[in-house]
Amino acid sequence: MGSFKHDRDGKEKNTGKKLGRGAGVYIPPFKLVRMMRDVEDKSNPEYQRGRDLFCRACIKSQMASPGFTDVFAALSAVINTKFPQVGELLLRRIMLQLKGAYRRNDKPQLLAATKFIAHLVNQQVAHEIIALELLTVLLEKPTDDSVEVAVGFVTECSSLLQDLTPKGLHGIFERFRGILHEGLIDKRVQFLIEGLFAIRKSKFQGHPAVRPELDLVEQEDQFTHELSLDDEIDPDTSLDIFKVDAQFVVNEKHYEDLKRSILGDDEPSDEEEVYDSASGDEESDQYEEQMKIQDETETNLVNLRRAIYLTIMSSLDFEEAGHQLLKIKLEPGQEMEPCIMLLECCSQERTYLRYYGLLAQRFCMINRIYQDNFEKCFVQQYSMIHRLETNKLRNVARFFAHLLGTDALPWHVLAYVRLTEEDTTSSSRIFIKILFQELSEHLGIKLLNERLSEPTMQDSFRSIYPRDNPKNTRFFINFFTSIGLGGITEKLRADLLIMQQQEKQVPVFEGESESESSSSESEMDMEQSCNKRRRRY
């Protein structure tokens, strides 16, 4: 990698200084458009000054949006068929950017540059020898960062390298295997290498070289540029300096012909481009309305959750946290995010902290929307309670017990809990146990029994107070007795005795043997004796 250190000498730096003085005065876009409308002579320098370079714009756009690198590479491949010198210049400048980032140990810029080169290799704008050279340099003296960059590079272009240079790719994977066996890199990077081998084992499924919608150039039309990392690369910085073109009109006509051959023949003529400012403003507003970008990568959502998390974790008390969270601007449909993040932070703690319960209580008291959202969170958490670890399960149960005990959350949410042997699991029983034990500590067993016996709420408590058959009722009584809350089962005990007496009065049906009837009676007698032992205990 020593050749990277000698790419830029003092002479090149002096050239960069000259660029700063010769770049000209900045002209605002609106003023430039007005100036170009007023100028009739296209050979005038003021008219020509509005042009910019494709390479510079493409590199800056790719750095700003690395997720669309394959799109920029496909665009570069199309341009390269008509202007090979532009494609070569773009490749040279990206390689210079890569060398500078490697020398400065600038990981984000290095990742962006390697990803762009990988997709240019996929589009066959760059020769595959560049990919092998780059991987050899990155893995020669492996570090955590260099191996991570190499893994990302191979993931992007491994499918094409497998077709063009299978032996070269095999050698790269053998080098990865050696690094993995040496064990000198971080565990996280080792996992990345193992994931890369898994992708190779699946024959690179899900990682095509070029997506079908971006396969725009026929193979015979493409120009492939063969450059090397060890070559002296000329960035052609003189192209960045504005120069008046004496043959501008002729060259512009030639450019328009080339543009039509690339984009089609539907381009408007010079006369059709004339429009007044009023209609231009109206059309630009309509264009902006149509071209609103939708954030499919959920970047805004990730940033919102990060802001909520940092606010929750950095506040001194729940009042300050609530005040700061209310300042965060939420888009339509994002009202659920503070509730989700608050519950997530609570579940991650080693022990339950009342800070989270008090903060959630404050939100429920401020706006009914948050109360409804926490109710949805309760339903979601209970439906997937079997996925939580015991510690997280305990924190979540105590969190909702606080909201129920303070009436911040309506008690009809218990309608989503069905307490029977068939409808519960070990995780859901632990959740119900901790929930009701916390409620008994908040309210006391007497007040808790009154809440559960409230006549207006019996429809909501029907699922947790089963009266449909004696089996479910006995399960309810045994469950709460075993967790030390037998005081809330007194009413159902009386109902169970009534149901058992009714069963004894049911006559034996035809076809039912006396032995079956006597066995059922003996089972009920045994159950009654067990209940007496439990009460005595």
Side-chain angles (χ1 to χ4, degrees):
M1 202 62 184
S3 61
F4 278 28
K5 297 180 180 179
H6 303 288
D7 288 331
R8 292 187 178 181
D9 52 11
K11 183 178 179 180
E12 184 179 343
K13 292 181 179 178
N14 293 336
T15 305
K17 291 181 180 178
K18 291 179 181 178
L19 288 179
R21 290 193 295 268
V25 181
Y26 170 74
I27 302 176
F30 73 94
K31 187 176 180 181
L32 181 62
V33 173
R34 189 193 315 157
M35 187 188 308
M36 292 175 65
R37 289 181 195 164
D38 298 337
V39 176
E40 297 180 358
D41 185 8
K42 294 184 178 181
S43 62
N44 192 310
E46 296 300 328
Y47 184 87
Q48 300 178 24
R49 195 180 293 274
R51 301 296 179 182
D52 202 351
L53 294 177
F54 169 79
C55 298
R56 186 193 303 175
C58 195
I59 292 175
K60 287 185 177 180
S61 301
Q62 189 269 339
M63 280 290 296
S65 303
F68 296 98
T69 303
D70 54 347
V71 179
F72 295 119
L75 174 62
S76 303
V78 175
I79 299 299
N80 187 58
T81 59
K82 302 297 181 181
F83 303 98
Q85 64 275 19
V86 176
E88 183 182 3
L89 177 63
L90 176 65
L91 182 59
R92 280 191 275 131
R93 291 195 173 183
I94 295 174
M95 291 175 66
L96 283 175
Q97 179 183 354
L98 183 145
K99 291 182 178 183
Y102 186 87
R103 186 175 61 253
R104 298 189 305 271
N105 198 21
D106 188 350
K107 185 178 176 182
Q109 192 172 16
L110 184 62
L111 286 170
T114 53
K115 189 171 185 178
F116 207 163
I117 291 178
H119 283 285
L120 289 177
V121 171
N122 290 338
Q123 291 285 351
Q124 297 186 19
V125 176
H127 199 273
E128 62 272 10
I129 192 66
I130 299 177
L132 298 178
E133 284 184 356
L134 177 58
L135 290 171
T136 302
V137 171
L138 290 173
L139 300 178
E140 183 180 2
K141 295 180 180 179
T143 62
D144 291 343
D145 291 338
S146 66
V147 174
E148 182 180 352
V149 173
V151 169
F153 184 84
V154 174
T155 304
E156 297 292 345
C157 63
S158 54
S159 180
L160 181 74
L161 294 179
Q162 180 65 29
D163 296 335
L164 299 180
T165 60
K167 292 184 179 179
L169 185 63
H170 177 73
I172 295 299
F173 271 97
E174 288 301 313
R175 179 57 182 148
F176 275 123
R177 193 186 306 276
I179 294 172
L180 195 60
H181 289 167
E182 291 170 2
L184 300 178
I185 58 176
D186 189 64
K187 290 289 185 183
R188 180 183 65 86
V189 185
Q190 293 181 19
F191 290 149
L192 292 177
I193 298 177
E194 292 174 357
L196 183 61
F197 275 96
I199 294 174
R200 184 192 186 189
K201 187 176 181 180
S202 65
K203 297 181 180 180
F204 310 107
Q205 292 183 1
H207 297 82
V210 180
R211 288 187 289 166
E213 59 269 25
L214 297 179
D215 190 7
L216 306 174
V217 179
E218 298 294 336
Q219 187 173 3
E220 58 272 12
D221 296 335
Q222 189 59 274
F223 289 89
T224 303
H225 304 285
E226 297 185 16
L227 298 177
S228 176
L229 293 175
D230 294 327
D231 293 342
E232 291 292 335
I233 299 176
D234 183 11
D236 281 342
T237 53
S238 60
L239 297 175
D240 295 335
I241 302 175
F242 172 73
K243 296 179 181 179
V244 178
D245 184 7
Q247 303 294 328
F248 178 78
V249 178
V250 178
N251 294 334
E252 186 71 6
K253 186 178 184 304
H254 181 57
Y255 166 75
E256 291 293 337
D257 294 338
L258 287 174
K259 186 172 69 172
R260 288 192 180 91
S261 66
I262 296 174
L263 302 178
D265 295 328
D266 296 333
E267 296 294 323
S269 61
D270 293 340
E271 291 77 7
E272 294 173 346
E273 292 180 354
V274 178
Y275 56 90
D276 56 13
S277 59
S279 62
D281 294 340
E282 183 178 354
E283 290 177 2
S284 62
D285 293 340
Q286 295 177 357
Y287 178 78
E288 291 178 359
E289 184 67 24
Q290 294 174 358
M291 294 299 293
K292 284 185 177 179
I293 299 175
Q294 296 182 356
D295 183 19
E296 298 293 344
T297 61
E298 295 187 349
T299 304
N300 294 337
L301 182 60
V302 172
N303 293 334
L304 173 63
R305 290 178 177 175
R306 183 185 294 112
I308 295 174
Y309 174 80
L310 293 176
T311 302
I312 293 174
M313 302 305 293
S314 62
S315 300
L316 295 177
D317 54 19
F318 75 94
E319 293 181 347
E320 179 186 350
H323 182 69
Q324 295 296 330
L325 287 174
L326 290 175
K327 290 183 178 180
I328 297 178
K329 185 178 180 181
L330 301 176
E331 299 294 334
Q334 294 181 345
E335 295 83 1
M336 190 80 174
E337 296 305 322
C339 306
I340 295 175
M341 290 303 301
L342 184 58
L343 187 58
E344 182 68 21
C345 293
C346 177
S347 65
Q348 298 295 331
E349 297 288 348
R350 293 186 178 180
T351 58
Y352 173 73
L353 301 177
R354 286 187 74 241
Y355 166 81
Y356 298 104
L358 292 171
L359 182 56
Q361 178 186 352
R362 172 64 61 89
F363 271 92
C364 291
M365 297 301 183
I366 290 175
N367 197 325
R368 176 64 183 271
I369 295 178
Y370 295 108
Q371 192 178 75
D372 296 338
N373 290 335
F374 276 113
E375 182 178 346
K376 294 177 183 177
C377 289
F378 180 88
V379 178
Q380 293 175 357
Q381 288 292 325
Y382 186 74
S383 64
M384 59 180 186
I385 201 69
H386 57 280
R387 301 181 184 178
L388 298 182
E389 302 173 0
T390 304
N391 185 60
K392 292 183 178 181
L393 189 151
R394 186 181 303 275
N395 289 345
V396 170
R398 297 184 69 180
F399 176 84
F400 285 112
H402 178 94
L403 296 183
L404 289 172
T406 56
D407 289 328
L409 197 65
W411 283 61
H412 64 74
V413 297
L414 296 178
Y416 299 104
V417 180
R418 181 166 176 80
L419 185 58
T420 63
E421 187 175 2
E422 293 80 9
D423 297 320
T424 56
T425 62
S426 58
S427 298
S428 60
R429 291 168 194 166
I430 294 174
F431 176 82
I432 297 172
K433 169 189 172 183
I434 299 172
L435 180 71
F436 276 88
Q437 285 178 342
E438 286 294 315
L439 284 174
S440 66
E441 291 185 9
H442 276 295
L443 305 175
I445 192 68
K446 181 179 179 182
L447 183 56
L448 176 60
N449 202 7
E450 292 177 359
R451 286 290 185 87
L452 295 175
S453 302
E454 189 173 342
T456 58
M457 299 293 294
Q458 293 309 303
D459 291 338
S460 300
F461 298 155
R462 188 176 300 169
S463 60
I464 204 168
Y465 264 97
R467 293 183 174 87
D468 49 353
N469 61 66
K471 178 184 176 182
N472 294 338
T473 305
R474 280 195 291 269
F475 181 81
F476 172 88
I477 295 172
N478 295 336
F479 176 80
F480 279 102
T481 303
S482 65
I483 65 175
L485 298 178
I488 65 175
T489 65
E490 295 298 331
K491 187 175 182 181
L492 277 188
R493 290 178 186 273
D495 295 339
L496 180 61
L497 291 176
I498 296 174
M499 286 187 285
Q500 289 176 343
Q501 291 176 0
Q502 291 176 351
E503 283 186 349
K504 289 181 179 180
Q505 296 175 0
V506 175
V508 180
F509 293 102
E510 295 182 1
E512 181 182 3
S513 62
E514 294 182 358
S515 61
E516 292 177 348
S517 176
S518 61
S519 64
S520 63
E521 291 178 358
S522 63
E523 288 178 358
M524 287 189 289
D525 293 338
M526 290 177 63
E527 186 67 30
Q528 289 180 358
S529 64
C530 289
N531 292 335
K532 290 180 181 178
R533 290 195 192 102
R534 292 192 187 95
R535 287 196 293 270
R536 194 179 302 116
Y537 175 74

